[in-house]
Amino acid sequence: MMNVPLNISSMMERAEKYFPKKEVITRTPAGVKRHTYREIGERTRRLASALQKLGVEQGDRVATFAWNSHRHLEAYFGIPGLGAVLHTVNIRLSSEHISYIVNHAEDKVMLVDSDLLPLLENVKDELKTVKAYVVMTDGEVPETSLSPVYSYEELLAEGNPEFEFIKDIDENSAAGICYTSATTGNPKGVVYTHRGIFLHSMALGLVDTAAISEGDRCMAVVPMFHANAWGMPFAATWFGSSQVMPGAQFTPTILAELIESEKITLTAGVPTIWLGLLKELEENNYDTSSLRAVLCGGSAAPAAMIKAFEVKYGIPFLHAYGMTETCPIVTASTLKSYQTDLPEEEKLAIRAKQGLVVPGLEIKVVGQNGEVNWDGEEMGELLIRGPWIANEYYKDERSKEAFRDGWLHTGDVATVDDEGVIKLVDRTKDLIKSGGEWISSVDLENGLMAHDAVFEAAVIAIPHPQWQERPLACVVLHEQYKGKVTKEDIIEFLTPLFAKWWLPDDVVFLDEIPKTSVGKFLKRALRDQLNEHFQIQ
Ligand code: ADP
């Protein structure tokens, strides 16, 4: 058969050709802005030609430093469309990590949202390779100490609306690069090829995966700098779905309003986003009936949260698992046809797991004695391989640890049940090792989250002279329960749910759980915070 190279520019070409009237909608300080795919396609071509004029060549890295917006989408296609590499820089990284990754990727040009300029100005003297900063704004480019500076809109005005996207590209060449947010050490770069993104996008269209289609109105809340917003912008453009971009500094109120006003059908984000939305839905009334799925990944989705969305608000939930290294989708949790008549609680328990591996990938869970039994009990490390899985970290010695024998060693600990469904128990480093046995912090967090008074909960290990480690529950209560719920109440609630030796030794009540730059619980910071009190090493 024809060996046609898989090239992501064909996605934008398809949107321009077959869906020219469909819209990309961005929330801005001046209200909602609408562009058709005809306009976005033309602007994308103008951007590619403008970057070429600035000296960007095939293989060069061009960074974005931006919120989710139509301009960011133009960069998603304009940069690879000229054969260059889209580097989505996480705006929430520390100054040290921002300069590390920009230098490490050797970014030549940076596209920056105007409100984020101060963050780059802080590190401008450290950025060794950047030859031009392009400021994305609807208004005047603000005064800045960055140099040289160009206006995105002025560059586009002078750009070529008929620029031809590069055709003769090797499908295995880089289209993008994204750095993991790194809880320890420097961030690690993951290169995405045209082929990888292409095949991953197809997987997002499968009915048993995310089923993204033309009729969808997609809103990626997950940032476009976090694993390509889980690939949603690529798939949605390709399939002609409408896209809604929540823009800068959104809140749960803004998200709820957008869901109602833009009739969102599919939205994607990490559990902390959905906990915030749930609170908003509890406090105010919104019409969320357009939603056909809330896609949730990045951390385990607590069963109690899934239940609240589905039972209380009739909003279907879809739990999925992935990593920056995997493009990211690896598993999606849907029921098999013969499971649909199971009792509600059983179905919920299945859907709160991470799910079945999506077609195209292979996984195995390897314990001390080889692959684990499919009994839902035996734990082992999750290994993954497939056409959208990275095979190394970009110019990084640490590749050797994670990529071995043709498999990505995820550092995630999982079980597999008799249906082949995986359940993530923990990250290796977060497992609690008590008296030679393992306790899953994720399971305990799930149990805690089922308590009505609990808003957020994280469980960490504390050192113990006899048992080596014991679980400590860190709990944030809903406002109205603060001072009213005790440690004893919490332990009593957990007692029927877990073996006695799993129960946390202590419960601390906090105002907030520290989060990573992409909104996950930052257990390292939690350990540091509680270190003195509990002498955690
Ligand atoms: P970072 O490593 O910067 O947090 P990633 O998004 O690449 O960014 O994180 C991937 C990790 O997130 C996985 O290895 C896993 O530990 C966790 N994760 C992702 N999805 C889920 C999920 N559905 N349930 C539990 N953990 C998840």
Side-chain angles (χ1 to χ4, degrees), residues 176-389:
I177 181 166
C178 182
Y179 285 71
T180 63
S181 40
T183 39
T184 50
N186 278 323
K188 293 175 272 192
V190 176
V191 170
Y192 301 118
T193 60
H194 280 264
R195 176 184 152 84
I197 296 175
F198 194 101
L199 294 170
H200 178 264
S201 306
M202 279 218 155
L204 289 181
L206 299 175
V207 173
D208 292 328
T209 306
I212 298 181
S213 76
E214 185 275 336
D216 273 319
R217 298 178 63 80
C218 297
M219 178 166 75
V221 180
V222 50
M224 291 171 87
F225 54 75
H226 182 204
N228 295 331
W230 301 346
M232 194 179 245
F234 290 117
T237 303
W238 198 9
F239 306 151
S241 329
S242 307
Q243 295 185 67
V244 177
M245 307 293 190
Q249 311 285 8
F250 55 81
T251 59
T253 312
I254 289 169
L255 295 180
E257 284 169 0
L258 283 172
I259 290 168
E260 179 174 288
S261 62
E262 294 301 333
K263 301 193 169 38
I264 303 298
T265 61
L266 177 66
T267 179
V270 294
T272 45
I273 294 283
W274 304 132
L275 285 175
L277 181 67
L278 207 51
K279 207 163 159 217
E280 180 65 28
L281 298 181
E282 269 154 27
E283 285 161 11
N284 296 295
N285 283 330
Y286 295 94
D287 178 359
T288 56
S289 58
S290 56
L291 279 172
R292 70 161 178 86
V294 166
L295 178 60
C296 180
S299 299
M305 178 173 79
I306 302 180
K307 190 171 173 180
F309 268 98
E310 298 200 334
V311 176
K312 233 167 154 182
Y313 300 103
I315 301 173
F317 216 79
L318 177 60
H319 188 198
Y321 159 82
M323 307 170 76
T324 303
E325 290 83 339
T326 64
C327 234
I329 201 150
V330 176
T331 65
S333 196
T334 50
L335 295 174
K336 292 181 182 170
S337 53
Y338 53 83
Q339 292 173 323
T340 49
D341 292 333
L342 289 174
E344 290 304 323
E345 286 301 315
E346 265 179 60
K347 286 196 282 191
L348 180 65
I350 297 171
R351 297 187 37 242
K353 297 183 185 185
Q354 281 66 23
L356 275 186
V357 65
V358 303
L361 299 181
E362 289 169 74
I363 59 170
K364 57 182 181 180
V365 176
V366 178
Q368 277 155 353
N369 309 311
E371 277 192 61
V372 301
N373 291 312
W374 283 22
D375 58 6
E377 295 282 329
E378 200 183 341
M379 297 178 190
E381 188 184 12
L382 178 66
L383 274 54
I384 313 173
R385 51 183 254 129
W388 59 86
I389 309 300

Side-chain angles (χ1 to χ4, degrees), residues 56-69:
V56 174
E57 292 172 10
Q58 212 172 320
D60 283 344
R61 268 77 58 209
V62 177
T64 55
F65 197 70
W67 302 97
N68 293 11
S69 73

Side-chain angles (χ1 to χ4, degrees), residues 107-133:
D107 295 326
K108 199 168 189 178
V109 174
M110 288 193 85
L111 311 183
V112 191
D113 272 347
S114 58
D115 64 322
L116 300 174
L117 282 169
L119 295 178
L120 279 194
E121 286 164 355
N122 283 341
V123 293
K124 68 177 193 317
D125 296 334
E126 311 300 321
L127 307 183
K128 307 291 182 216
T129 59
V130 181
K131 302 274 181 291
Y133 297 91

